[in-house]
Amino acid sequence: MIRRAARALGTYVSRSPVTTGYAGLLLSTHLWCTAVLSTADAQRVMLGVSTNLDNLQDHPLRVLAGSVLFFDGTLTEITSEAFAGTLITLGLGVIVCLAWLERRYGARRAYALFVLGHLAATLLTVPVIHVALAQGWYPESVRHATDFGISYGAETVLAASALLLRRARWLAAAGVVAWPVLGGDWSGTLPDFTTVGHLLAAAIGFVCGAFLLRAARRTGPAPVPQPEPAPVE
């Protein structure tokens, strides 16, 4: 059993080295904040990398880059909603789907999709927040809310991977959409801005997944090499 697990881990690392390193980085930053820093210092770090309106206006590059170095969840409170979020974003989104896309399309394309989802969903949510604030649909505290992590990128990767499945494609796609819909706050005129962001990220992932699927169908399966005929003497 131990040898089989070690062999499976070795195969995973060799076939998805970038995702292995990224997952290790996410776990390291999480442990740093939860086990090394004090609660106050950890909160300052999280607020410093939050992609809220104030931070995006003052230092956009820092927060857009820094936000994807952390995941917003828990590894210990296994009965909490936050742990379920960790399983979806870090577990299914990064460790499973992002690694699968890395193996299938290469690290460059897989992470381009992840970063695209993170950046585009974040930036497309900004005008929605501005409109909602102007209309009084969101409280002013949204401007400096704590909002960080990998969830937009993970949602994009999940949506693209769902469309690339051969079986249960539409069931998986429905599950991707159900996550933000069921977990969001729909009590106001608009859902909370993170739900808007996750739905935008899912839409981006579906578009990219459809593009990859169409490209694969156009290309078709790789031709099977035929043995060369033996020379006639």
Side-chain angles (χ1 to χ4, degrees):
M1 180 66 70
I2 297 178
R3 289 183 179 180
R4 185 178 300 176
R7 190 180 303 114
L9 179 60
T11 301
Y12 180 92
V13 172
S14 63
R15 297 184 65 190
S16 311
V18 179
T19 300
T20 301
Y22 183 47
L25 175 62
L26 290 171
L27 291 172
S28 298
T29 56
H30 181 78
L31 291 175
W32 175 58
C33 287
T34 57
V36 178
L37 297 181
S38 66
T39 302
D41 288 339
Q43 289 177 345
R44 280 193 287 270
V45 170
M46 296 301 96
L47 185 59
V49 297
S50 291
T51 53
N52 54 46
L53 291 186
D54 289 348
N55 283 349
L56 285 172
Q57 182 177 354
D58 295 339
H59 30 258
L61 295 181
R62 189 186 81 184
V63 297
L64 287 171
S67 182
V68 293
L69 301 180
F70 302 86
F71 66 90
D72 184 14
T74 179
L75 294 173
T76 56
E77 300 174 13
I78 60 175
T79 60
S80 66
E81 184 177 337
F83 184 75
T86 300
L87 292 179
I88 294 173
T89 56
L90 178 62
L92 189 58
V94 172
I95 295 176
V96 175
C97 290
L98 191 56
W100 179 62
L101 291 175
E102 180 184 355
R103 293 193 298 269
R104 184 167 180 175
Y105 297 102
R108 182 177 300 179
R109 291 182 179 179
Y111 280 84
L113 176 63
F114 180 85
V115 173
L116 173 64
H118 170 69
L119 295 178
T122 300
L123 297 178
L124 288 174
T125 306
V126 169
V128 176
I129 297 175
H130 278 298
V131 171
L133 285 171
Q135 297 296 324
W137 298 335
Y138 287 167
E140 286 293 323
S141 59
V142 167
R143 293 185 179 274
H144 48 268
T146 301
D147 178 39
F148 65 92
I150 60 173
S151 59
Y152 289 171
E155 178 78 349
T156 301
V157 168
L158 286 167
S161 299
L163 284 194
L164 293 171
L165 294 176
R166 292 185 178 181
R167 298 179 179 178
R169 175 180 301 162
W170 302 115
L171 181 61
V176 170
V177 176
W179 171 43
V181 169
L182 296 178
D185 180 4
W186 297 81
S187 60
T189 303
L190 286 179
D192 61 285
F193 71 93
T194 57
T195 299
V196 174
H198 284 106
L199 292 175
L200 288 170
I204 294 166
F206 287 139
V207 171
C208 293
F211 175 79
L212 292 172
L213 187 62
R214 183 177 301 177
R217 287 173 175 172
R218 187 183 304 118
T219 304
V224 179
Q226 300 294 329
E228 295 184 0
V232 178
E233 298 183 355

